[in-house]
Every structure is written in structure tokens, then in C-alpha cells.
């Protein structure tokens, strides 16, 4: 019999949160384009930004070569930035050129950047005008990927939130899965849910514009990523209802997430157990293997991906680690509250960042593993502190049962590498 997870009496939901504001180290929201353009297969992401933005995209995308690239940068030149040219008219000409060349594009996202925000380029107005001009073939939307005051996962949140108001209305009773997962992981989740008997399932973002995605007050939605605060609010504004659940990381998190959905749809326990027993056993075994190196080790999270709280829950409960500090850029209790309930009392929970003060705390604690952004990883490694890049957690398939062992492996590998280097040096 599978029992729902009970919140820990000493969970972290109500512990005082250390809130700090100061210099912070994060990647900007343009990064999300790297995984979103693969997911939404008929979309084009046009960043309206500077050469810096173009370089960031290029280096984040690595050396991928596309016959038909599905993202690009409309470069704002100095004359645009100085207000000497009509950037709005030039952008609209650029979009017309792009759409006349590329008949495969069905959704075009104008992505704002720091420079476009500084000169207050009105991308919402441009998107509205261009949408009216190119409808019904192409829908033009806009969102901000600017790095001012944002984290890299907020790009996906802003993109999905921008899609919600344009979706058609439906009265269907349906489950909406929200979050861009790799196709193979999304298919696994859909299989599990369909085997539970839930038939009407939609996914945001859909892979194609003509997927028939619609929503309304009979839609209930389950988030697969904890950084979708804006999308959560946009869906609620459309009348959809959130199914609160711990996030599907690890065996326990996946079971709790599925249980929350199963309860909503009245799935009986026998069916739930029949569907989940075998993958649960596989996930437990895979986590146990990878976690052998993690048990008893300490971990410190710098705020970066917004995955920190659910991951700390997974690593402490399923891998035997001790969390020293769990830093998150923002803490949405409506979204990560159940993960906080399951996270044992002990770590400092911090929100926001003053990076120098946080580095001091990290150095004083000397954790066995530190999860942080690229900018902090190298200096910490040089000081002898093993690190894990937070961004890898978004680029790697880590959700649901079949990836649970790989998720634990992402954290055990840096420790393994460090131990191997010590052996070689001895
Ligand atoms: Fe462009 Fe701003 Fe990101 Fe830099 S931080 S790449 S200027 S959007």
C-alpha cells in the first residue's frame, strides 16, 4: 500500500528565512531559449538585444550547427540605443523579412533584453501589430529574457506565461502538464498518467502551434518545474486550478507528485500501486547505487536555478546528505511549500543573495559539495571546494522515476572526480 507523504513535524515551511539583497551572480533569462527552441518545434525566438546577447546565445548554444536555426538576435546598434533611429520600425521590417523567408515558423517570440528594456522598446506593441499582420499563420508573442534582476530559468517562465492569455477557451475537464521537459521524459510522464487512467492531458508548452491546446475553469494543472511562478499566476487568472505537489525528483518526489494528480482524478490505490510499483523499485535501486558516495556528505546551495528546495529535499531524504544552506532566488510557498514541508529542519533557508556574505558562509561551512552558477564554481574549486553547476540540472533529463538515478549521479560525480584526483596526487 502506498501512503501519501506526511509533512515532517520539523519541516522547513515555517522556519525564518534569511533574506538578503546585494550583489548577485546569475545567468540571464535568454538562456532558456536553448532548451525552449528544441521543445517548441515550430517557434522562432528573436532576441532584440546587443552583440553581448548574441554572444551569450551563441556560446550557450555551443557549437550546434543548424540548417535552419530557430533563434537569432536582432542587434540594436548604437544609433538605436542613442534613440537616433526608429528601432520599432526596423524591428518590424526585420520580422517581415524573416517570416517571408521562413514559412516553417508558426510562433514568433520577440525576446526582450537589457538593452531593449533600457531604451524602453515596446515589444508588446510590436508583437500585437505583427500578430495582426501575420495572423492566422503566425502568432507573435513577446516576453523579457533580460538579465536585470532575473535568473536564467525565468526566461522559460516568462515565455510560458506569455503564451497563456492567447490560448483558446475550453470547458473540458483536463490535466495540463506545465514545464518544458525533454521529449523522452515528457513521454514517460504521459505514459504513467495515462496508465493511471487520466486520458485528457495537455502539455504547456505544446510541441506545435496547432496542438489544440486550450484551457479554462475545468483545467487542473501540475507544474513539473518549480520556477514557473509567473505561469502559475497566468494560469490561475484564466481560471485553471493548481494541483500542489512536491516536485517529481527522485523516487519519493515522483510518487508524491503522481499521488497528488491521482487523488485529483479519483484513481484508486490498487491501480496506483499497479502502475508505480515496478518503476518505483527501479528508481530506488538506481538512486541507492548513485547515492552511496553522497551519504553523510554536506551540501550548500547558492541561489540560481530555483530548483534548490526540491533538490535539497531529494538529496537529504533519498541520498542521505545534510543540507547546510538552501539558497533560492525566490521562494513561492504556493509552489514549493510541500517540498519545504518535507525538508528536515536544520539548513539555513535563504532567499535572494548578497554574494560576498554568502561566500563567507560557504567558506566557513566547508561543504563537501556546493551547487552554484558558473561564475562562482571556478573560484570555489580553486579553493578546494567541489562544485556542481546549477545550469546542468536544467539541461539534463532529471525528472521522474527513470531519471532518478541519473539525478543522484549528477551530484556524486564531482565527489568521485575529487576523490580520484586526490588518489592520483597521493
Ligand atoms: Fe543581453 Fe542582458 Fe543577458 Fe547580457 S544579461 S546577455 S545584456 S539580456
Amino acid at each position: 500500500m502506498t501512503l501519501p507523504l506526511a509533512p515532517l513535524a520539523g519541516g522547513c515551511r515555517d522556519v525564518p528565512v534569511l533574506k538578503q539583497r546585494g550583489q548577485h551572480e546569475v545567468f540571464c533569462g535568454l538562456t532558456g531559449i536553448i532548451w525552449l527552441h528544441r521543445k517548441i518545434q515550430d517557434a522562432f525566438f528573436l532576441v532584440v538585444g546587443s552583440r553581448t546577447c548574441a554572444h551569450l546565445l551563441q556560446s550557450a548554444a555551443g557549437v550546434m550547427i543548424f540548417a535552419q536555426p530557430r533563434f537569432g538576435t536582432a542587434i540594436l546598434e548604437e544609433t538605436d540605443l542613442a534613440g537616433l533611429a526608429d528601432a520599432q520600425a526596423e524591428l518590424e521590417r526585420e520580422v517581415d523579412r524573416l517570416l517571408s523567408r521562413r514559412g516553417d515558423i508558426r510562433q514568433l517570440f520577440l525576446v526582450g533584453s537589457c538593452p531593449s528594456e533600457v531604451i524602453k522598446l515596446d515589444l508588446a506593441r510590436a508583437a500585437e501589430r505583427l500578430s495582426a499582420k501575420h495572423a492566422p499563420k503566425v502568432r507573435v508573442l513577446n516576453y523579457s529574457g533580460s538579465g536585470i534582476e532575473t535568473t536564467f530559468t525565468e526566461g522559460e517562465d516568462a515565455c510560458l506565461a506569455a503564451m497563456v492569455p492567447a490560448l483558446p477557451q475550453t470547458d473540458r475537464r483536463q490535466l495540463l502538464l506545465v514545464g518544458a521537459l525533454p521529449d523522452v521524459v515528457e513521454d514517460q510522464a504521459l505514459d504513467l498518467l495515462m496508465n493511471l487512467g487520466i486520458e485528457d492531458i495537455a502539455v504547456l508548452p505544446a510541441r506545435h502551434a496547432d496542438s489544440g491546446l486550450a484551457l479554462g475553469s475545468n483545467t487542473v494543472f501540475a507544474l513539473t518545474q518549480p520556477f514557473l511562478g509567473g505561469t502559475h499566476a497566468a494560469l490561475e487568472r484564466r481560471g485553471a486550478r493548481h494541483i500542489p505537489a512536491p516536485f517529481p525528483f527522485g523516487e519519493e518526489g515522483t510518487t508524491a507528485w503522481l499521488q497528488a494528480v491521482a487523488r485529483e482524478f479519483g484513481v484508486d490505490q490498487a491501480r496506483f500501486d499497479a502502475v508505480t510499483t515496478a518503476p518505483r523499485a527501479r528508481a530506488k535501486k538506481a538512486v541507492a547505487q548513485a547515492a552511496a558516495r553522497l551519504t553523510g556528505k554536506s551540501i550548500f546551495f547558492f541561489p540560481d536555478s530555483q530548483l534548490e528546495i526540491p533538490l535539497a529535499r531529494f538529496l537529504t531524504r533519498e541520498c542521505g546528505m545534510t543540507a547546510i544552506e538552501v539558497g533560492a532566488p525566490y521562494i513561492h510557498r504556493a509552489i514549493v511549500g510541500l517540498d519545504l514541508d518535507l525538508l528536515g529542519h536544520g539548513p539555513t533557508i535563504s532567499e535572494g543573495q548578497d554574494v560576498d556574505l554568502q561566500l563567507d558562509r560557504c567558506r566557513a561551512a566547508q561543504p563537501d559539495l556546493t551547487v552554484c552558477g558558473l561564475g562562482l564554481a571556478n573560484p570555489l574549486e580553486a579553493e578546494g571546494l567541489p562544485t556542481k553547476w546549477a545550469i546542468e540540472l536544467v539541461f539534463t533529463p532529471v525528472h521522474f522515476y527513470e531519471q532518478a538515478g541519473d539525478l543522484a549521479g549528477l551530484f556524486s560525480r564531482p565527489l568521485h572526480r575529487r576523490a580520484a584526483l586526490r588518489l592520483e596526487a597521493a
Side-chain angles (χ1 to χ4, degrees), residues 27-30 47 49-50 52-54 56-57 112-115 145-148:
F27 252 61
C28 76
L30 297 187
V47 176
S50 62
T52 310
C53 308
L56 174 110
L57 263 188
S113 66
C114 308
S146 150
I148 304 174

Side-chain angles (χ1 to χ4, degrees), residues 15 36 40 53 59 100 102 132 161 197 212 230 250 268-269 282 290 292 296 310 316 333 365 373 396 401:
V15 299
L36 285 168
I40 314 175
C53 308
S59 47
S100 66
R102 294 284 301 273
D268 67 47
Q269 191 67 53
R282 279 199 299 277
T316 53
R333 280 188 166 65
T396 312
Y401 292 128

Side-chain angles (χ1 to χ4, degrees), residues 53-185:
C53 308
H55 287 146
L56 174 110
L57 263 188
Q58 209 52 52
S59 47
V63 289
M64 289 181 287
I65 296 168
F66 296 100
Q68 295 274 54
R70 284 194 292 103
F71 58 83
T73 311
I75 307 266
L76 292 166
E77 301 290 355
E78 276 174 22
T79 43
D80 300 308
L81 298 173
L84 299 175
D86 186 347
Q88 193 90 25
E90 180 55 29
L91 172 65
E92 291 182 22
R93 274 197 296 276
E94 205 49 61
V95 168
D96 289 345
R97 272 200 290 271
L98 173 70
L99 294 180
S100 66
R101 248 191 4 253
R102 294 284 301 273
D104 57 315
I105 298 172
R106 302 288 316 285
Q107 306 178 75
L108 175 68
F109 292 95
L110 304 178
V111 187
S113 66
C114 308
S116 73
E117 287 188 2
V118 167
I119 63 165
K120 302 206 182 322
L121 193 55
D122 191 347
L123 293 185
R125 193 157 58 95
E128 219 172 276
R129 270 214 299 262
L130 286 161
S131 230
K133 188 167 173 187
H134 296 281
K137 185 161 182 256
V138 184
R139 185 166 57 201
V140 184
L141 296 169
N142 75 292
Y143 71 89
S144 171
S146 150
I148 304 174
E149 291 292 318
T150 57
T151 66
F152 73 94
T153 47
E154 282 181 87
E156 175 178 333
D157 186 27
C159 174
L160 302 197
M163 297 170 87
V164 171
L167 292 174
Q169 183 74 20
T170 181
D171 290 329
R172 276 197 334 252
R173 161 86 166 147
Q174 63 170 354
L175 171 65
L176 182 64
L177 279 197
V178 186
L181 297 174
D183 289 350
V184 58
V185 178

